[in-house]
Amino acid sequence: MRGFLASSIGVATAAVLALPLALPTPALAETVPVTPAGSTQSLPLVPMGPAAARTPGVPGMSASPRGPETQGLPAREVRTFSMVGVVWDDVTAQLNGRVQVRTRSVRTATWSDWQDVEVHNSEHAADPDAAERDSGRVRGATAPLWVGESDGVEVRVQAELDAPATRAGSRLPSGMRIELVDPGAAAAAGSSDGKNSGPADDKGEMVAPGLTMEMAEASAANMPHASLGANEITELDKADSTADAVFAGEGALAAAAAPYIGPRPRIVTRKGWGADESLREKAFAYTNTVKAAFVHHSASGNNYACKDAPAVLRSLYRYHVVSSGWRDFGYNFAVDKCGTVYEGRAGGVSKPVLGAHTMGFNTDSMGVAVLGTFTNSAPPAAAVDAVARLTAWKLGLFGRDPRGKTTLKSGGGNRYPKGRNVSMNVISGHRDGFATECPGKQLYGKLPTTRTSSAKLQGRP
Protein backbone atom coordinates (compact mmCIF):
# COMPACT_ATOMS: atom_id res chain seq x y z
CA MET A 1 0.00 0.00 0.00
CA ARG A 2 1.46 3.29 -1.06
CA GLY A 3 1.99 5.80 1.71
CA PHE A 4 2.22 3.11 4.38
CA LEU A 5 5.97 2.82 4.76
CA ALA A 6 7.59 5.55 6.81
CA SER A 7 11.01 6.99 7.26
CA SER A 8 12.73 7.93 10.53
CA ILE A 9 13.61 11.54 11.13
CA GLY A 10 14.45 13.64 14.14
CA VAL A 11 11.85 15.87 15.76
CA ALA A 12 13.07 19.38 16.60
CA THR A 13 12.52 20.79 20.07
CA ALA A 14 11.23 24.32 20.56
CA ALA A 15 13.64 26.76 22.20
CA VAL A 16 11.26 27.71 24.99
CA LEU A 17 8.58 25.46 26.51
CA ALA A 18 5.76 26.94 28.56
CA LEU A 19 5.39 23.77 30.64
CA PRO A 20 5.48 22.89 34.31
CA LEU A 21 8.07 20.22 33.49
CA ALA A 22 10.86 19.79 30.97
CA LEU A 23 9.74 17.73 28.01
CA PRO A 24 12.19 15.37 26.32
CA THR A 25 12.19 15.10 22.58
CA PRO A 26 12.27 11.57 21.15
CA ALA A 27 15.60 10.76 19.53
CA LEU A 28 13.89 9.12 16.58
CA ALA A 29 10.27 9.56 15.59
CA GLU A 30 9.05 7.42 12.74
CA THR A 31 6.90 9.58 10.52
CA VAL A 32 5.55 9.87 7.04
CA PRO A 33 6.73 12.95 5.13
CA VAL A 34 5.07 16.22 6.09
CA THR A 35 2.76 17.37 3.28
CA PRO A 36 -0.25 19.67 3.02
CA ALA A 37 -2.31 16.47 3.18
CA GLY A 38 -1.02 15.60 6.67
CA SER A 39 1.50 13.38 8.45
CA THR A 40 1.76 10.64 11.07
CA GLN A 41 4.30 10.37 13.88
CA SER A 42 4.65 6.80 15.16
CA LEU A 43 6.45 6.43 18.50
CA PRO A 44 7.17 3.09 20.23
CA LEU A 45 5.82 2.68 23.76
CA VAL A 46 8.25 1.55 26.47
CA PRO A 47 7.84 -0.40 29.73
CA MET A 48 7.14 1.77 32.75
CA GLY A 49 7.97 1.05 36.38
CA PRO A 50 5.51 -0.19 39.02
CA ALA A 51 5.03 3.28 40.49
CA ALA A 52 3.94 4.64 37.13
CA ALA A 53 1.88 1.53 36.45
CA ARG A 54 -0.69 1.96 39.20
CA THR A 55 -3.84 3.88 38.42
CA PRO A 56 -5.33 5.01 41.77
CA GLY A 57 -8.97 4.15 42.24
CA VAL A 58 -9.23 1.86 39.22
CA PRO A 59 -10.02 -1.73 40.28
CA GLY A 60 -8.09 -4.46 38.51
CA MET A 61 -5.32 -2.16 37.29
CA SER A 62 -1.87 -2.67 38.82
CA ALA A 63 1.71 -3.65 38.18
CA SER A 64 2.87 -7.27 38.35
CA PRO A 65 6.26 -9.01 38.42
CA ARG A 66 5.17 -11.24 35.54
CA GLY A 67 6.20 -8.73 32.90
CA PRO A 68 5.87 -5.15 31.66
CA GLU A 69 2.21 -4.67 32.61
CA THR A 70 2.32 -0.95 31.87
CA GLN A 71 3.79 0.75 28.85
CA GLY A 72 3.73 4.34 27.77
CA LEU A 73 5.66 7.51 27.11
CA PRO A 74 6.62 10.26 29.54
CA ALA A 75 5.44 13.76 28.67
CA ARG A 76 7.31 15.08 25.66
CA GLU A 77 7.16 17.62 22.89
CA VAL A 78 6.31 16.40 19.40
CA ARG A 79 5.39 17.93 16.10
CA THR A 80 1.81 19.23 15.86
CA PHE A 81 -0.96 16.61 15.67
CA SER A 82 -4.72 16.45 16.27
CA MET A 83 -5.66 12.77 16.64
CA VAL A 84 -4.10 9.93 18.64
CA GLY A 85 -4.41 6.16 18.73
CA VAL A 86 -2.36 3.12 19.73
CA VAL A 87 -1.47 0.30 17.32
CA TRP A 88 0.36 -3.02 17.75
CA ASP A 89 1.85 -5.74 15.57
CA ASP A 90 -0.68 -8.61 15.69
CA VAL A 91 -4.10 -7.71 14.34
CA THR A 92 -5.60 -10.76 16.08
CA ALA A 93 -4.29 -9.76 19.52
CA GLN A 94 -6.64 -7.95 21.90
CA LEU A 95 -5.56 -5.10 24.15
CA ASN A 96 -7.12 -6.06 27.48
CA GLY A 97 -6.49 -2.98 29.52
CA ARG A 98 -6.80 0.77 29.68
CA VAL A 99 -5.26 3.38 27.37
CA GLN A 100 -5.03 6.98 28.55
CA VAL A 101 -3.48 10.04 26.99
CA ARG A 102 -3.06 13.68 27.87
CA THR A 103 -2.03 16.33 25.40
CA ARG A 104 -0.80 19.91 25.32
CA SER A 105 -2.88 22.38 23.34
CA VAL A 106 -1.10 24.49 20.73
CA ARG A 107 -3.62 27.27 21.26
CA THR A 108 -3.47 27.54 25.07
CA ALA A 109 -0.14 25.80 25.90
CA THR A 110 -1.98 23.93 28.68
CA TRP A 111 -2.25 20.20 29.32
CA SER A 112 -5.53 18.34 29.13
CA ASP A 113 -6.76 15.96 31.81
CA TRP A 114 -6.14 12.26 31.23
CA GLN A 115 -8.50 10.97 28.55
CA ASP A 116 -9.49 7.35 27.92
CA VAL A 117 -9.04 5.89 24.45
CA GLU A 118 -11.52 3.20 23.40
CA VAL A 119 -9.49 -0.02 23.19
CA HIS A 120 -11.96 -2.29 21.41
CA ASN A 121 -11.69 -1.42 17.74
CA SER A 122 -11.04 -4.73 15.94
CA GLU A 123 -14.72 -5.05 15.08
CA HIS A 124 -14.34 -2.09 12.69
CA ALA A 125 -12.42 -4.00 10.06
CA ALA A 126 -12.54 -6.16 6.96
CA ASP A 127 -13.94 -9.68 7.23
CA PRO A 128 -11.50 -12.37 8.44
CA ASP A 129 -10.98 -13.91 4.97
CA ALA A 130 -10.98 -10.66 3.02
CA ALA A 131 -7.88 -9.78 1.00
CA GLU A 132 -7.75 -6.45 2.80
CA ARG A 133 -7.32 -8.17 6.16
CA ASP A 134 -4.83 -10.74 4.89
CA SER A 135 -2.50 -8.24 3.22
CA GLY A 136 0.13 -8.52 5.96
CA ARG A 137 -0.02 -4.78 6.57
CA VAL A 138 -2.94 -4.70 8.99
CA ARG A 139 -2.26 -3.96 12.66
CA GLY A 140 -4.23 -4.17 15.85
CA ALA A 141 -5.49 -0.74 16.86
CA THR A 142 -7.50 1.20 19.40
CA ALA A 143 -10.14 3.63 18.28
CA PRO A 144 -8.63 7.01 17.41
CA LEU A 145 -9.29 10.02 19.65
CA TRP A 146 -9.61 13.58 18.36
CA VAL A 147 -7.75 15.94 20.72
CA GLY A 148 -7.43 19.09 18.63
CA GLU A 149 -4.21 20.78 17.58
CA SER A 150 -1.56 19.69 20.10
CA ASP A 151 2.23 19.63 20.40
CA GLY A 152 2.83 17.62 23.58
CA VAL A 153 1.76 14.11 24.57
CA GLU A 154 1.95 11.66 27.48
CA VAL A 155 0.68 8.08 27.24
CA ARG A 156 0.04 5.18 29.61
CA VAL A 157 -1.31 1.74 28.69
CA GLN A 158 -2.10 -0.55 31.59
CA ALA A 159 -3.03 -4.22 31.40
CA GLU A 160 -5.93 -5.73 33.31
CA LEU A 161 -4.82 -8.02 36.12
CA ASP A 162 -6.67 -10.97 34.64
CA ALA A 163 -5.47 -10.38 31.07
CA PRO A 164 -3.77 -13.48 29.63
CA ALA A 165 0.01 -13.26 29.34
CA THR A 166 1.68 -13.54 25.95
CA ARG A 167 4.55 -15.92 25.20
CA ALA A 168 6.93 -13.09 26.03
CA GLY A 169 5.41 -12.84 29.51
CA SER A 170 3.61 -9.56 28.97
CA ARG A 171 -0.12 -9.02 29.31
CA LEU A 172 0.02 -6.34 26.60
CA PRO A 173 0.34 -6.85 22.82
CA SER A 174 3.82 -6.60 21.34
CA GLY A 175 4.99 -3.69 19.22
CA MET A 176 2.70 -1.04 20.69
CA ARG A 177 3.12 2.45 19.24
CA ILE A 178 1.34 5.76 19.73
CA GLU A 179 0.17 7.25 16.44
CA LEU A 180 0.00 11.05 16.32
CA VAL A 181 -1.96 12.17 13.27
CA ASP A 182 -1.85 15.61 11.70
CA PRO A 183 -4.78 16.05 9.27
CA GLY A 184 -2.95 18.63 7.17
CA ALA A 185 -4.43 21.66 5.51
CA ALA A 186 -7.91 21.77 4.04
CA ALA A 187 -8.31 21.60 0.28
CA ALA A 188 -8.60 24.89 -1.57
CA ALA A 189 -12.11 26.22 -1.92
CA GLY A 190 -13.91 25.86 -5.19
CA SER A 191 -14.33 22.92 -7.50
CA SER A 192 -13.47 22.02 -11.05
CA ASP A 193 -16.17 22.53 -13.63
CA GLY A 194 -14.92 19.53 -15.54
CA LYS A 195 -13.52 21.59 -18.39
CA ASN A 196 -10.03 21.25 -19.79
CA SER A 197 -9.66 17.73 -18.45
CA GLY A 198 -7.57 15.29 -20.39
CA PRO A 199 -6.54 11.66 -20.09
CA ALA A 200 -4.97 10.63 -16.81
CA ASP A 201 -1.39 9.44 -16.55
CA ASP A 202 0.27 7.18 -13.96
CA LYS A 203 2.79 9.65 -12.55
CA GLY A 204 0.56 11.71 -10.26
CA GLU A 205 0.61 14.75 -12.57
CA MET A 206 -2.45 16.95 -12.81
CA VAL A 207 -4.94 15.58 -15.32
CA ALA A 208 -7.46 18.37 -14.79
CA PRO A 209 -7.24 21.68 -12.94
CA GLY A 210 -6.35 20.76 -9.35
CA LEU A 211 -6.69 16.99 -9.89
CA THR A 212 -4.15 14.19 -9.86
CA MET A 213 -4.95 10.89 -11.55
CA GLU A 214 -6.07 9.31 -8.25
CA MET A 215 -8.28 12.30 -7.46
CA ALA A 216 -9.82 12.15 -10.94
CA GLU A 217 -10.55 8.43 -10.59
CA ALA A 218 -12.27 8.89 -7.22
CA SER A 219 -14.24 11.83 -8.53
CA ALA A 220 -15.21 10.09 -11.79
CA ALA A 221 -16.82 7.27 -9.76
CA ASN A 222 -19.50 9.80 -8.77
CA MET A 223 -20.37 10.92 -12.28
CA PRO A 224 -22.99 11.81 -13.43
CA HIS A 225 -24.17 12.82 -9.94
CA ALA A 226 -21.52 15.57 -9.97
CA SER A 227 -18.96 16.94 -12.40
CA LEU A 228 -15.34 15.87 -12.32
CA GLY A 229 -13.57 17.53 -9.39
CA ALA A 230 -16.76 18.58 -7.59
CA ASN A 231 -16.55 19.25 -3.86
CA GLU A 232 -20.10 18.13 -3.25
CA ILE A 233 -22.99 16.19 -4.72
CA THR A 234 -26.09 18.34 -4.58
CA GLU A 235 -29.34 17.30 -2.97
CA LEU A 236 -32.28 16.30 -5.14
CA ASP A 237 -36.00 16.03 -4.60
CA LYS A 238 -37.59 12.59 -4.44
CA ALA A 239 -38.69 12.49 -8.07
CA ASP A 240 -35.26 13.32 -9.47
CA SER A 241 -33.51 10.95 -7.05
CA THR A 242 -35.25 7.94 -8.61
CA ALA A 243 -32.93 8.21 -11.62
CA ASP A 244 -29.92 7.55 -9.37
CA ALA A 245 -30.85 3.86 -9.25
CA VAL A 246 -29.82 3.52 -12.90
CA PHE A 247 -26.23 4.37 -11.96
CA ALA A 248 -26.01 2.28 -8.79
CA GLY A 249 -25.01 -0.93 -10.57
CA GLU A 250 -26.63 -4.25 -11.45
CA GLY A 251 -27.69 -4.86 -7.87
CA ALA A 252 -30.00 -1.85 -8.03
CA LEU A 253 -31.55 -2.26 -11.48
CA ALA A 254 -34.73 -3.77 -10.09
CA ALA A 255 -35.29 -0.64 -8.00
CA ALA A 256 -34.89 1.76 -10.93
CA ALA A 257 -38.61 1.88 -11.58
CA ALA A 258 -39.65 1.60 -7.94
CA PRO A 259 -41.30 4.56 -6.21
CA TYR A 260 -39.59 4.11 -2.84
CA ILE A 261 -36.34 6.05 -3.22
CA GLY A 262 -35.82 8.89 -0.78
CA PRO A 263 -34.57 12.34 -1.84
CA ARG A 264 -30.81 12.39 -2.24
CA PRO A 265 -29.12 14.42 0.52
CA ARG A 266 -26.24 16.78 -0.10
CA ILE A 267 -23.01 14.79 0.15
CA VAL A 268 -19.55 16.29 0.55
CA THR A 269 -17.19 14.35 -1.70
CA ARG A 270 -13.76 13.02 -0.81
CA LYS A 271 -12.27 15.98 -2.64
CA GLY A 272 -14.54 18.26 -0.62
CA TRP A 273 -13.15 17.03 2.71
CA GLY A 274 -9.60 16.85 1.38
CA ALA A 275 -8.86 13.11 1.12
CA ASP A 276 -5.26 12.39 0.08
CA GLU A 277 -5.99 9.92 -2.71
CA SER A 278 -2.35 8.80 -2.87
CA LEU A 279 -2.79 6.95 0.46
CA ARG A 280 -5.43 4.42 -0.57
CA GLU A 281 -5.07 1.43 -2.83
CA LYS A 282 -5.82 2.26 -6.45
CA ALA A 283 -8.58 -0.22 -7.22
CA PHE A 284 -12.12 0.12 -5.95
CA ALA A 285 -13.75 -2.90 -4.29
CA TYR A 286 -17.45 -3.65 -4.68
CA THR A 287 -19.96 -6.06 -3.21
CA ASN A 288 -23.08 -7.32 -4.99
CA THR A 289 -25.81 -5.16 -3.54
CA VAL A 290 -26.81 -3.22 -0.41
CA LYS A 291 -29.19 -5.16 1.80
CA ALA A 292 -28.54 -3.35 5.07
CA ALA A 293 -27.03 -0.23 6.61
CA PHE A 294 -24.97 -0.57 9.79
CA VAL A 295 -24.87 2.55 11.96
CA HIS A 296 -21.69 3.30 13.93
CA HIS A 297 -20.15 5.98 16.05
CA SER A 298 -16.52 6.81 15.36
CA ALA A 299 -15.69 6.68 19.12
CA SER A 300 -13.29 9.58 18.48
CA GLY A 301 -14.89 11.93 20.99
CA ASN A 302 -17.33 14.83 20.72
CA ASN A 303 -14.82 17.65 21.21
CA TYR A 304 -14.87 19.00 17.66
CA ALA A 305 -16.63 21.87 15.92
CA CYS A 306 -18.56 21.19 12.73
CA LYS A 307 -16.06 23.31 10.80
CA ASP A 308 -13.40 20.83 11.94
CA ALA A 309 -15.25 17.76 10.63
CA PRO A 310 -13.22 17.59 7.37
CA ALA A 311 -10.02 17.58 9.45
CA VAL A 312 -11.45 14.84 11.67
CA LEU A 313 -12.20 12.82 8.53
CA ARG A 314 -8.72 13.34 7.10
CA SER A 315 -7.29 12.16 10.42
CA LEU A 316 -9.55 9.10 10.57
CA TYR A 317 -8.66 8.25 6.98
CA ARG A 318 -4.94 8.51 7.66
CA TYR A 319 -5.31 6.44 10.85
CA HIS A 320 -7.23 3.74 8.99
CA VAL A 321 -4.75 3.50 6.10
CA VAL A 322 -1.31 4.52 7.41
CA SER A 323 -1.61 3.39 11.03
CA SER A 324 -4.03 0.43 10.83
CA GLY A 325 -3.06 -0.78 7.35
CA TRP A 326 -6.50 -0.78 5.73
CA ARG A 327 -6.88 -0.24 2.00
CA ASP A 328 -9.00 2.92 2.42
CA PHE A 329 -11.28 4.75 4.83
CA GLY A 330 -13.33 2.09 6.62
CA TYR A 331 -16.87 3.48 6.44
CA ASN A 332 -18.95 4.13 3.32
CA PHE A 333 -20.29 7.39 4.72
CA ALA A 334 -19.76 9.70 7.68
CA VAL A 335 -22.12 12.19 9.31
CA ASP A 336 -21.04 15.07 11.55
CA LYS A 337 -22.86 16.52 14.55
CA CYS A 338 -24.45 19.23 12.36
CA GLY A 339 -25.95 16.69 9.96
CA THR A 340 -23.56 17.04 7.01
CA VAL A 341 -23.11 13.81 5.07
CA TYR A 342 -19.65 12.90 3.72
CA GLU A 343 -18.51 10.35 1.16
CA GLY A 344 -16.34 7.71 2.81
CA ARG A 345 -14.62 4.81 1.04
CA ALA A 346 -13.94 5.59 -2.62
CA GLY A 347 -15.83 3.98 -5.46
CA GLY A 348 -19.00 6.00 -5.92
CA VAL A 349 -21.68 7.08 -3.45
CA SER A 350 -24.52 5.30 -5.25
CA LYS A 351 -22.61 2.05 -5.83
CA PRO A 352 -22.30 -1.00 -3.51
CA VAL A 353 -18.75 -0.22 -2.34
CA LEU A 354 -17.26 -2.89 -0.05
CA GLY A 355 -16.31 -1.29 3.26
CA ALA A 356 -14.42 -2.36 6.39
CA HIS A 357 -16.82 -1.37 9.14
CA THR A 358 -18.67 -4.41 10.56
CA MET A 359 -16.41 -7.45 10.74
CA GLY A 360 -18.33 -10.42 9.38
CA PHE A 361 -21.02 -8.40 7.62
CA ASN A 362 -19.29 -6.07 5.19
CA THR A 363 -20.63 -8.02 2.20
CA ASP A 364 -23.90 -6.63 0.81
CA SER A 365 -24.03 -3.84 3.39
CA MET A 366 -23.00 -0.24 3.93
CA GLY A 367 -21.51 1.47 6.98
CA VAL A 368 -22.48 4.93 8.25
CA ALA A 369 -20.36 6.46 11.03
CA VAL A 370 -21.62 9.38 13.07
CA LEU A 371 -18.56 11.36 14.15
CA GLY A 372 -18.47 11.30 17.94
CA THR A 373 -18.91 9.03 20.95
CA PHE A 374 -22.47 8.25 22.01
CA THR A 375 -22.17 5.76 24.83
CA ASN A 376 -23.35 8.31 27.40
CA SER A 377 -23.94 11.41 25.27
CA ALA A 378 -27.09 11.75 23.18
CA PRO A 379 -26.46 12.16 19.44
CA PRO A 380 -27.52 15.54 18.02
CA ALA A 381 -30.92 15.52 16.33
CA ALA A 382 -29.33 16.86 13.13
CA ALA A 383 -27.02 13.83 12.93
CA VAL A 384 -29.85 11.35 13.52
CA ASP A 385 -31.94 13.08 10.86
CA ALA A 386 -29.02 12.91 8.42
CA VAL A 387 -28.73 9.13 8.93
CA ALA A 388 -32.44 8.81 8.11
CA ARG A 389 -32.07 10.94 4.97
CA LEU A 390 -28.99 9.10 3.77
CA THR A 391 -30.45 5.63 4.31
CA ALA A 392 -33.77 6.58 2.71
CA TRP A 393 -31.87 7.39 -0.48
CA LYS A 394 -29.14 4.75 -0.55
CA LEU A 395 -31.28 1.82 0.64
CA GLY A 396 -34.02 2.97 -1.72
CA LEU A 397 -31.65 2.64 -4.67
CA PHE A 398 -31.49 -1.09 -3.89
CA GLY A 399 -35.19 -1.54 -3.12
CA ARG A 400 -34.82 -1.90 0.66
CA ASP A 401 -37.50 -0.98 3.19
CA PRO A 402 -35.77 0.69 6.18
CA ARG A 403 -38.38 -0.82 8.53
CA GLY A 404 -37.88 -4.33 7.20
CA LYS A 405 -35.68 -7.35 7.80
CA THR A 406 -33.03 -8.89 5.59
CA THR A 407 -30.76 -11.92 5.68
CA LEU A 408 -26.98 -11.61 5.64
CA LYS A 409 -24.41 -14.41 5.66
CA SER A 410 -21.76 -14.04 8.36
CA GLY A 411 -18.18 -13.84 7.22
CA GLY A 412 -17.01 -14.70 10.75
CA GLY A 413 -16.87 -12.74 13.97
CA ASN A 414 -17.38 -12.96 17.71
CA ARG A 415 -21.17 -13.08 17.57
CA TYR A 416 -22.04 -15.28 14.58
CA PRO A 417 -19.86 -18.06 13.12
CA LYS A 418 -18.77 -17.92 9.52
CA GLY A 419 -21.43 -19.13 7.09
CA ARG A 420 -24.46 -18.61 9.32
CA ASN A 421 -27.42 -16.83 7.73
CA VAL A 422 -28.56 -14.11 10.10
CA SER A 423 -31.79 -12.11 10.07
CA MET A 424 -31.01 -8.42 10.54
CA ASN A 425 -32.90 -5.16 10.55
CA VAL A 426 -32.32 -3.33 7.28
CA ILE A 427 -31.07 -0.46 9.45
CA SER A 428 -28.99 -2.11 12.17
CA GLY A 429 -26.53 -0.96 14.76
CA HIS A 430 -22.98 -2.28 14.67
CA ARG A 431 -23.67 -4.29 17.86
CA ASP A 432 -26.32 -6.29 15.99
CA GLY A 433 -23.59 -7.96 13.93
CA PHE A 434 -20.72 -7.97 16.41
CA ALA A 435 -20.50 -8.00 20.22
CA THR A 436 -19.47 -4.38 20.74
CA GLU A 437 -20.67 -1.17 22.39
CA CYS A 438 -20.79 0.55 19.00
CA PRO A 439 -22.69 2.69 18.04
CA GLY A 440 -23.07 3.59 21.70
CA LYS A 441 -26.18 3.08 23.80
CA GLN A 442 -27.54 6.55 23.12
CA LEU A 443 -27.25 6.38 19.32
CA TYR A 444 -28.46 2.78 19.22
CA GLY A 445 -31.60 3.87 21.02
CA LYS A 446 -32.42 6.26 18.17
CA LEU A 447 -32.50 3.54 15.50
CA PRO A 448 -36.22 2.64 15.83
CA THR A 449 -37.28 6.22 15.03
CA THR A 450 -34.59 6.41 12.34
CA ARG A 451 -36.14 3.41 10.57
CA THR A 452 -39.57 5.04 10.66
CA SER A 453 -38.27 8.40 9.43
CA SER A 454 -36.25 6.79 6.65
CA ALA A 455 -39.25 4.81 5.39
CA LYS A 456 -41.42 7.93 5.48
CA LEU A 457 -38.85 9.80 3.36
CA GLN A 458 -39.04 6.95 0.86
CA GLY A 459 -42.79 7.51 0.65
CA ARG A 460 -43.72 4.13 2.06
CA PRO A 461 -47.24 3.79 3.52
Side-chain angles (χ1 to χ4, degrees):
M1 182 180 298
R2 293 166 298 148
F4 183 77
L5 298 178
S7 61
S8 294
I9 65 172
V11 178
T13 304
V16 178
L17 301 177
L19 295 173
L21 71 169
L23 293 188
T25 301
L28 288 175
E30 184 181 336
T31 176
V32 302
V34 180
T35 70
S39 64
T40 303
Q41 299 169 81
S42 185
L43 305 174
L45 302 189
V46 298
M48 302 180 73
R54 297 188 180 92
T55 303
V58 181
M61 297 290 181
S62 182
S64 165
R66 293 183 55 179
E69 305 302 329
T70 298
Q71 295 185 29
L73 285 178
R76 63 181 62 200
E77 176 174 297
V78 292
R79 201 169 52 242
T80 302
F81 67 97
S82 295
M83 181 172 279
V84 302
V86 171
V87 302
W88 54 92
D89 294 337
D90 184 358
V91 68
T92 65
Q94 297 295 315
L95 199 170
N96 297 304
R98 187 180 192 185
V99 177
Q100 293 181 298
V101 299
R102 67 186 192 109
T103 56
R104 187 183 68 173
S105 168
V106 168
R107 184 174 61 85
T108 65
T110 58
W111 285 87
S112 70
D113 294 331
W114 285 101
Q115 301 182 77
D116 285 297
V117 178
E118 173 59 56
V119 298
H120 299 296
N121 193 50
S122 61
E123 60 266 28
H124 301 83
D127 291 351
D129 292 339
E132 180 173 356
R133 186 175 176 86
D134 294 335
S135 66
R137 298 183 294 266
V138 182
R139 297 172 175 175
T142 68
L145 178 68
W146 177 261
V147 295
E149 196 172 23
S150 306
D151 60 5
V153 66
E154 185 175 5
V155 188
R156 60 191 183 197
V157 181
Q158 192 166 354
E160 295 174 351
L161 278 176
D162 57 355
T166 67
R167 292 180 180 178
S170 172
R171 297 174 187 267
L172 294 172
S174 63
M176 289 199 303
R177 308 177 70 85
I178 182 75
E179 302 285 292
L180 307 175
V181 182
D182 171 22
S191 62
S192 169
D193 61 4
K195 298 178 181 178
N196 302 316
S197 59
D201 61 28
D202 60 357
K203 299 178 181 178
E205 281 124 358
M206 298 296 177
V207 297
L211 298 181
T212 63
M213 179 185 68
E214 292 105 335
M215 294 170 68
E217 288 172 342
S219 183
N222 286 319
M223 297 175 70
H225 307 312
S227 61
L228 189 67
N231 286 338
E232 64 178 61
I233 296 168
T234 57
E235 61 185 341
L236 294 177
D237 61 24
K238 187 178 184 304
D240 290 339
S241 295
T242 301
D244 286 347
V246 176
F247 307 105
E250 293 182 5
L253 290 180
Y260 301 125
I261 298 175
R264 184 177 75 198
R266 171 180 172 266
I267 303 171
V268 177
T269 65
R270 288 170 64 94
K271 180 176 180 293
W273 56 262
D276 180 355
E277 300 295 355
S278 70
L279 294 180
R280 64 171 172 82
E281 290 188 352
K282 279 188 174 182
F284 304 141
Y286 297 98
T287 184
N288 296 317
T289 186
V290 178
K291 291 183 176 182
F294 285 99
V295 178
H296 305 257
H297 66 174
S298 63
S300 53
N302 302 321
N303 190 27
Y304 72 94
C306 291
K307 66 179 178 60
D308 296 325
V312 175
L313 285 170
R314 293 195 300 276
S315 298
L316 284 170
Y317 173 44
R318 180 169 282 275
Y319 187 74
H320 286 176
V321 178
V322 177
S323 300
S324 302
W326 300 357
R327 73 189 311 272
D328 193 355
F329 190 79
Y331 309 105
N332 298 103
F333 296 93
V335 173
D336 70 20
K337 63 173 67 175
C338 290
T340 301
V341 178
Y342 300 87
E343 178 185 14
R345 181 162 288 206
V349 295
S350 64
K351 296 181 174 63
V353 177
L354 178 66
H357 49 83
T358 305
M359 187 194 295
F361 293 100
N362 291 304
T363 298
D364 296 342
S365 73
M366 59 181 270
V368 183
V370 181
L371 300 181
T373 303
F374 303 108
T375 303
N376 299 312
S377 299
V384 176
D385 177 68
V387 172
R389 290 184 288 111
L390 173 61
T391 53
W393 172 71
K394 184 64 181 277
L395 292 172
L397 298 182
F398 294 86
R400 312 300 174 188
D401 183 346
R403 301 166 303 186
K405 297 278 189 177
T406 192
T407 300
L408 297 174
K409 180 178 287 188
S410 173
N414 68 354
R415 186 161 187 173
Y416 299 104
K418 181 179 179 180
R420 177 177 291 183
N421 289 319
V422 182
S423 177
M424 295 274 190
N425 289 311
V426 170
I427 296 180
S428 287
H430 187 182
R431 62 176 63 182
D432 294 322
F434 200 98
T436 173
E437 289 296 315
C438 185
K441 180 175 65 176
Q442 297 294 327
L443 179 54
Y444 188 77
K446 298 293 184 181
L447 295 189
T449 56
T450 300
R451 297 181 188 109
T452 301
S453 299
S454 183
K456 184 176 180 180
L457 286 164
Q458 288 184 344
R460 294 184 183 271

